[in-house]
Short mmCIF file of all heavy atoms in Angstrom, two decimals:
data_model
loop_
_atom_site.label_atom_id
_atom_site.label_comp_id
_atom_site.label_asym_id
_atom_site.label_seq_id
_atom_site.Cartn_x
_atom_site.Cartn_y
_atom_site.Cartn_z
N MET A 195 2.10 -25.30 -7.85
CA MET A 195 2.18 -24.79 -9.22
C MET A 195 1.90 -23.29 -9.28
O MET A 195 2.64 -22.53 -9.92
CB MET A 195 1.18 -25.52 -10.12
CG MET A 195 1.63 -26.89 -10.56
SD MET A 195 0.47 -27.63 -11.73
CE MET A 195 -0.87 -28.12 -10.64
N LEU A 196 0.85 -22.86 -8.61
CA LEU A 196 0.50 -21.44 -8.65
C LEU A 196 1.56 -20.59 -7.96
O LEU A 196 1.83 -19.45 -8.36
CB LEU A 196 -0.87 -21.22 -8.02
CG LEU A 196 -2.04 -21.68 -8.88
CD1 LEU A 196 -3.31 -21.81 -8.06
CD2 LEU A 196 -2.27 -20.72 -10.04
N ALA A 197 2.18 -21.14 -6.91
CA ALA A 197 3.21 -20.38 -6.18
C ALA A 197 4.40 -20.06 -7.07
O ALA A 197 5.13 -19.09 -6.81
CB ALA A 197 3.66 -21.16 -4.95
N LYS A 198 4.61 -20.84 -8.14
CA LYS A 198 5.70 -20.54 -9.06
C LYS A 198 5.50 -19.20 -9.77
O LYS A 198 6.45 -18.60 -10.28
CB LYS A 198 5.82 -21.64 -10.11
CG LYS A 198 6.25 -23.00 -9.57
CD LYS A 198 6.29 -24.04 -10.70
CE LYS A 198 6.69 -25.41 -10.20
NZ LYS A 198 6.72 -26.42 -11.30
N THR A 199 4.25 -18.74 -9.78
CA THR A 199 3.94 -17.47 -10.46
C THR A 199 3.90 -16.30 -9.49
O THR A 199 3.66 -15.16 -9.90
CB THR A 199 2.57 -17.57 -11.17
OG1 THR A 199 1.51 -17.64 -10.20
CG2 THR A 199 2.51 -18.79 -12.07
N TRP A 200 4.12 -16.55 -8.17
CA TRP A 200 4.06 -15.49 -7.18
C TRP A 200 5.45 -14.91 -6.91
O TRP A 200 6.47 -15.57 -7.09
CB TRP A 200 3.48 -16.01 -5.86
CG TRP A 200 2.10 -16.59 -5.98
CD1 TRP A 200 1.19 -16.36 -6.97
CD2 TRP A 200 1.49 -17.53 -5.08
NE1 TRP A 200 0.05 -17.09 -6.75
CE2 TRP A 200 0.19 -17.81 -5.59
CE3 TRP A 200 1.90 -18.14 -3.91
CZ2 TRP A 200 -0.68 -18.69 -4.95
CZ3 TRP A 200 1.02 -19.02 -3.27
CH2 TRP A 200 -0.24 -19.28 -3.79
N GLN A 201 5.45 -13.67 -6.42
CA GLN A 201 6.67 -12.97 -6.04
C GLN A 201 6.62 -12.59 -4.57
O GLN A 201 5.53 -12.51 -3.99
CB GLN A 201 6.84 -11.69 -6.89
CG GLN A 201 6.88 -11.93 -8.39
CD GLN A 201 8.11 -12.71 -8.81
OE1 GLN A 201 9.18 -12.55 -8.23
NE2 GLN A 201 7.96 -13.55 -9.83
N PRO A 202 7.78 -12.36 -3.94
CA PRO A 202 7.76 -11.85 -2.57
C PRO A 202 6.91 -10.58 -2.48
O PRO A 202 7.01 -9.70 -3.34
CB PRO A 202 9.24 -11.56 -2.29
CG PRO A 202 9.97 -12.51 -3.18
CD PRO A 202 9.16 -12.59 -4.44
N GLY A 203 6.06 -10.52 -1.49
CA GLY A 203 5.18 -9.37 -1.33
C GLY A 203 3.81 -9.58 -1.94
O GLY A 203 2.87 -8.82 -1.63
N ASP A 204 3.65 -10.58 -2.79
CA ASP A 204 2.31 -10.92 -3.27
C ASP A 204 1.48 -11.44 -2.10
O ASP A 204 2.03 -11.83 -1.06
CB ASP A 204 2.37 -11.99 -4.37
CG ASP A 204 2.84 -11.42 -5.70
OD1 ASP A 204 2.84 -10.18 -5.85
OD2 ASP A 204 3.22 -12.21 -6.59
N GLU A 205 0.17 -11.47 -2.28
CA GLU A 205 -0.72 -11.84 -1.17
C GLU A 205 -1.65 -12.97 -1.57
O GLU A 205 -2.13 -13.05 -2.71
CB GLU A 205 -1.54 -10.63 -0.72
CG GLU A 205 -0.66 -9.51 -0.17
CD GLU A 205 -1.44 -8.26 0.22
OE1 GLU A 205 -2.65 -8.18 -0.10
OE2 GLU A 205 -0.84 -7.36 0.85
N VAL A 206 -1.90 -13.84 -0.59
CA VAL A 206 -2.82 -14.97 -0.75
C VAL A 206 -3.84 -14.88 0.38
O VAL A 206 -3.48 -14.67 1.54
CB VAL A 206 -2.06 -16.31 -0.67
CG1 VAL A 206 -3.03 -17.48 -0.75
CG2 VAL A 206 -1.02 -16.40 -1.76
N VAL A 207 -5.12 -15.03 0.03
CA VAL A 207 -6.20 -14.88 1.01
C VAL A 207 -6.78 -16.25 1.35
O VAL A 207 -7.14 -17.03 0.46
CB VAL A 207 -7.32 -13.96 0.45
CG1 VAL A 207 -8.52 -13.93 1.40
CG2 VAL A 207 -6.77 -12.55 0.23
N VAL A 208 -6.87 -16.53 2.65
CA VAL A 208 -7.52 -17.75 3.15
C VAL A 208 -8.53 -17.34 4.22
O VAL A 208 -8.43 -16.26 4.79
CB VAL A 208 -6.51 -18.76 3.73
CG1 VAL A 208 -5.55 -19.26 2.66
CG2 VAL A 208 -5.73 -18.14 4.90
N THR A 209 -9.51 -18.21 4.50
CA THR A 209 -10.52 -17.89 5.50
C THR A 209 -10.47 -18.89 6.65
O THR A 209 -10.11 -20.05 6.47
CB THR A 209 -11.95 -17.90 4.92
OG1 THR A 209 -12.50 -19.22 4.98
CG2 THR A 209 -11.96 -17.41 3.47
N ARG A 210 -10.87 -18.43 7.82
CA ARG A 210 -10.90 -19.31 8.99
C ARG A 210 -12.08 -20.27 8.94
O ARG A 210 -12.15 -21.20 9.74
CB ARG A 210 -10.97 -18.48 10.27
CG ARG A 210 -9.75 -17.63 10.48
CD ARG A 210 -9.62 -17.12 11.90
NE ARG A 210 -8.58 -16.10 11.96
CZ ARG A 210 -7.29 -16.35 12.05
NH1 ARG A 210 -6.87 -17.61 12.09
NH2 ARG A 210 -6.41 -15.37 12.09
N LEU A 211 -12.99 -20.08 8.00
CA LEU A 211 -14.13 -20.97 7.86
C LEU A 211 -13.75 -22.29 7.19
O LEU A 211 -14.46 -23.28 7.32
CB LEU A 211 -15.23 -20.27 7.05
CG LEU A 211 -16.58 -20.96 6.93
CD1 LEU A 211 -17.26 -21.09 8.29
CD2 LEU A 211 -17.49 -20.19 5.96
N ASP A 212 -12.64 -22.30 6.49
CA ASP A 212 -12.31 -23.42 5.61
C ASP A 212 -11.77 -24.65 6.33
O ASP A 212 -11.19 -24.57 7.42
CB ASP A 212 -11.27 -22.96 4.59
CG ASP A 212 -11.89 -22.36 3.35
OD1 ASP A 212 -12.28 -21.18 3.39
OD2 ASP A 212 -12.00 -23.07 2.34
N HIS A 213 -11.93 -25.78 5.65
CA HIS A 213 -11.22 -27.01 5.97
C HIS A 213 -9.73 -26.73 5.78
O HIS A 213 -9.33 -25.94 4.92
CB HIS A 213 -11.70 -28.10 4.99
CG HIS A 213 -11.20 -29.48 5.25
ND1 HIS A 213 -9.88 -29.84 5.03
CD2 HIS A 213 -11.84 -30.60 5.67
CE1 HIS A 213 -9.74 -31.12 5.33
NE2 HIS A 213 -10.90 -31.61 5.71
N ASP A 214 -8.90 -27.38 6.57
CA ASP A 214 -7.47 -27.10 6.50
C ASP A 214 -6.87 -27.44 5.14
O ASP A 214 -5.81 -26.91 4.77
CB ASP A 214 -6.72 -27.85 7.60
CG ASP A 214 -5.51 -27.08 8.10
OD1 ASP A 214 -5.66 -25.90 8.47
OD2 ASP A 214 -4.40 -27.65 8.10
N ALA A 215 -7.54 -28.31 4.37
CA ALA A 215 -7.04 -28.64 3.04
C ALA A 215 -7.13 -27.47 2.08
O ALA A 215 -6.50 -27.50 1.02
CB ALA A 215 -7.82 -29.83 2.47
N ASN A 216 -7.90 -26.44 2.43
CA ASN A 216 -7.94 -25.23 1.61
C ASN A 216 -7.33 -24.05 2.34
O ASN A 216 -7.58 -22.89 2.00
CB ASN A 216 -9.38 -24.90 1.19
CG ASN A 216 -9.43 -24.07 -0.09
OD1 ASN A 216 -8.58 -24.21 -0.97
ND2 ASN A 216 -10.42 -23.21 -0.20
N ILE A 217 -6.53 -24.36 3.35
CA ILE A 217 -5.78 -23.34 4.08
C ILE A 217 -4.29 -23.64 4.05
O ILE A 217 -3.49 -22.88 3.50
CB ILE A 217 -6.25 -23.24 5.55
CG1 ILE A 217 -7.70 -22.74 5.63
CG2 ILE A 217 -5.33 -22.29 6.34
CD1 ILE A 217 -8.26 -22.69 7.05
N ARG A 218 -3.91 -24.79 4.65
CA ARG A 218 -2.50 -25.08 4.85
C ARG A 218 -1.71 -25.16 3.55
O ARG A 218 -0.57 -24.66 3.50
CB ARG A 218 -2.34 -26.36 5.66
CG ARG A 218 -1.19 -26.32 6.66
CD ARG A 218 -1.27 -25.14 7.63
NE ARG A 218 -2.58 -25.07 8.27
CZ ARG A 218 -2.95 -24.07 9.03
NH1 ARG A 218 -2.15 -23.03 9.22
NH2 ARG A 218 -4.14 -24.06 9.58
N PRO A 219 -2.21 -25.77 2.46
CA PRO A 219 -1.41 -25.78 1.24
C PRO A 219 -1.06 -24.38 0.75
O PRO A 219 0.06 -24.14 0.26
CB PRO A 219 -2.31 -26.51 0.24
CG PRO A 219 -3.16 -27.39 1.08
CD PRO A 219 -3.43 -26.59 2.31
N TRP A 220 -2.00 -23.43 0.90
CA TRP A 220 -1.75 -22.06 0.44
C TRP A 220 -0.82 -21.31 1.38
O TRP A 220 0.04 -20.55 0.94
CB TRP A 220 -3.08 -21.33 0.30
CG TRP A 220 -4.04 -22.06 -0.57
CD1 TRP A 220 -5.20 -22.69 -0.19
CD2 TRP A 220 -3.90 -22.31 -1.98
NE1 TRP A 220 -5.79 -23.29 -1.27
CE2 TRP A 220 -5.03 -23.07 -2.39
CE3 TRP A 220 -2.96 -21.94 -2.93
CZ2 TRP A 220 -5.22 -23.48 -3.71
CZ3 TRP A 220 -3.14 -22.35 -4.25
CH2 TRP A 220 -4.26 -23.11 -4.62
N VAL A 221 -1.00 -21.53 2.68
CA VAL A 221 -0.12 -20.89 3.67
C VAL A 221 1.32 -21.36 3.46
O VAL A 221 2.26 -20.56 3.43
CB VAL A 221 -0.59 -21.22 5.11
CG1 VAL A 221 0.45 -20.79 6.13
CG2 VAL A 221 -1.93 -20.54 5.39
N GLN A 222 1.51 -22.64 3.28
CA GLN A 222 2.86 -23.18 3.12
C GLN A 222 3.47 -22.78 1.79
O GLN A 222 4.67 -22.47 1.71
CB GLN A 222 2.80 -24.71 3.27
CG GLN A 222 2.46 -25.14 4.69
CD GLN A 222 2.06 -26.60 4.79
OE1 GLN A 222 1.86 -27.28 3.79
NE2 GLN A 222 1.94 -27.10 6.02
N ALA A 223 2.65 -22.75 0.74
CA ALA A 223 3.17 -22.32 -0.56
C ALA A 223 3.56 -20.85 -0.53
O ALA A 223 4.59 -20.45 -1.12
CB ALA A 223 2.13 -22.57 -1.65
N ALA A 224 2.76 -20.04 0.14
CA ALA A 224 3.08 -18.61 0.25
C ALA A 224 4.36 -18.40 1.03
O ALA A 224 5.23 -17.60 0.63
CB ALA A 224 1.91 -17.87 0.92
N GLU A 225 4.51 -19.10 2.14
CA GLU A 225 5.72 -18.96 2.95
C GLU A 225 6.97 -19.34 2.16
O GLU A 225 8.04 -18.74 2.32
CB GLU A 225 5.60 -19.83 4.20
CG GLU A 225 4.57 -19.32 5.21
CD GLU A 225 4.35 -20.28 6.35
OE1 GLU A 225 4.79 -21.46 6.23
OE2 GLU A 225 3.74 -19.88 7.37
N ALA A 226 6.83 -20.34 1.29
CA ALA A 226 7.99 -20.83 0.53
C ALA A 226 8.52 -19.79 -0.45
O ALA A 226 9.71 -19.82 -0.79
CB ALA A 226 7.62 -22.11 -0.22
N VAL A 227 7.65 -18.89 -0.92
CA VAL A 227 8.09 -17.89 -1.91
C VAL A 227 8.09 -16.48 -1.37
O VAL A 227 8.35 -15.52 -2.11
CB VAL A 227 7.21 -17.97 -3.18
CG1 VAL A 227 7.32 -19.34 -3.83
CG2 VAL A 227 5.76 -17.62 -2.87
N GLY A 228 7.81 -16.31 -0.08
CA GLY A 228 7.83 -14.98 0.52
C GLY A 228 6.57 -14.17 0.28
O GLY A 228 6.58 -12.94 0.43
N ALA A 229 5.48 -14.83 -0.07
CA ALA A 229 4.21 -14.13 -0.23
C ALA A 229 3.55 -13.96 1.14
O ALA A 229 3.82 -14.71 2.08
CB ALA A 229 3.28 -14.89 -1.17
N ARG A 230 2.65 -12.99 1.23
CA ARG A 230 1.98 -12.69 2.49
C ARG A 230 0.62 -13.39 2.53
O ARG A 230 -0.11 -13.40 1.53
CB ARG A 230 1.78 -11.18 2.62
CG ARG A 230 1.09 -10.74 3.91
CD ARG A 230 0.83 -9.24 3.90
NE ARG A 230 0.18 -8.80 5.12
CZ ARG A 230 -0.33 -7.59 5.31
NH1 ARG A 230 -0.23 -6.68 4.32
NH2 ARG A 230 -0.92 -7.26 6.43
N VAL A 231 0.27 -13.95 3.68
CA VAL A 231 -1.04 -14.59 3.86
C VAL A 231 -1.97 -13.61 4.57
O VAL A 231 -1.64 -13.07 5.63
CB VAL A 231 -0.92 -15.88 4.68
CG1 VAL A 231 -2.31 -16.47 4.94
CG2 VAL A 231 -0.03 -16.88 3.98
N ARG A 232 -3.13 -13.37 3.97
CA ARG A 232 -4.16 -12.51 4.58
C ARG A 232 -5.31 -13.42 5.04
O ARG A 232 -5.84 -14.20 4.26
CB ARG A 232 -4.68 -11.49 3.57
CG ARG A 232 -3.62 -10.56 2.99
CD ARG A 232 -3.03 -9.63 4.06
NE ARG A 232 -4.03 -8.79 4.67
CZ ARG A 232 -4.37 -7.56 4.21
NH1 ARG A 232 -3.78 -7.08 3.11
NH2 ARG A 232 -5.28 -6.85 4.83
N TRP A 233 -5.67 -13.29 6.30
CA TRP A 233 -6.71 -14.13 6.89
C TRP A 233 -8.04 -13.38 6.92
O TRP A 233 -8.09 -12.18 7.22
CB TRP A 233 -6.35 -14.52 8.32
CG TRP A 233 -5.24 -15.53 8.39
CD1 TRP A 233 -3.89 -15.29 8.38
CD2 TRP A 233 -5.39 -16.95 8.49
NE1 TRP A 233 -3.20 -16.46 8.46
CE2 TRP A 233 -4.08 -17.50 8.53
CE3 TRP A 233 -6.48 -17.80 8.56
CZ2 TRP A 233 -3.85 -18.88 8.65
CZ3 TRP A 233 -6.26 -19.17 8.68
CH2 TRP A 233 -4.96 -19.68 8.72
N VAL A 234 -9.12 -14.12 6.64
CA VAL A 234 -10.47 -13.56 6.72
C VAL A 234 -11.22 -14.29 7.83
O VAL A 234 -11.33 -15.52 7.82
CB VAL A 234 -11.23 -13.73 5.39
CG1 VAL A 234 -12.62 -13.11 5.50
CG2 VAL A 234 -10.46 -13.09 4.25
N ASP A 235 -11.73 -13.52 8.78
CA ASP A 235 -12.51 -14.09 9.87
C ASP A 235 -13.99 -14.16 9.48
O ASP A 235 -14.43 -13.48 8.55
CB ASP A 235 -12.35 -13.24 11.14
CG ASP A 235 -10.90 -13.17 11.61
OD1 ASP A 235 -10.16 -14.14 11.37
OD2 ASP A 235 -10.53 -12.15 12.22
N PHE A 236 -14.74 -14.97 10.21
CA PHE A 236 -16.19 -15.03 10.01
C PHE A 236 -16.89 -14.73 11.31
O PHE A 236 -16.26 -14.69 12.38
CB PHE A 236 -16.61 -16.38 9.44
CG PHE A 236 -16.34 -17.55 10.35
CD1 PHE A 236 -17.30 -18.02 11.24
CD2 PHE A 236 -15.10 -18.22 10.31
CE1 PHE A 236 -17.05 -19.10 12.06
CE2 PHE A 236 -14.85 -19.31 11.14
CZ PHE A 236 -15.82 -19.75 12.02
N ASP A 237 -18.19 -14.51 11.25
CA ASP A 237 -18.96 -14.16 12.43
C ASP A 237 -19.05 -15.36 13.37
O ASP A 237 -19.56 -16.42 13.00
CB ASP A 237 -20.37 -13.71 12.01
CG ASP A 237 -21.16 -13.15 13.17
OD1 ASP A 237 -21.59 -13.94 14.03
OD2 ASP A 237 -21.37 -11.92 13.22
#
């Protein structure tokens, strides 16, 4: 639903700390509309 409001070049932020259920849906939704995924690492 939220990806319907995104445009190519928009950015979505996910973290490596997360369960994949809060990573993969956003990565796949971003890829579908041409948005960029920004990854955040943790210590």
Side-chain angles (χ1 to χ4, degrees):
M195 281 185 284
L196 286 164
K198 294 178 181 180
T199 69
W200 302 339
Q201 302 294 325
D204 285 345
E205 297 177 350
V206 177
V207 173
V208 297
T209 88
R210 297 196 191 279
L211 187 64
D212 273 80
H213 187 289
D214 213 52
N216 204 32
I217 295 177
R218 218 55 51 188
W220 306 111
V221 169
Q222 292 166 350
E225 290 173 346
V227 299
R230 180 185 181 190
V231 176
R232 301 294 300 269
W233 288 85
V234 181
D235 299 330
F236 64 92
D237 188 287

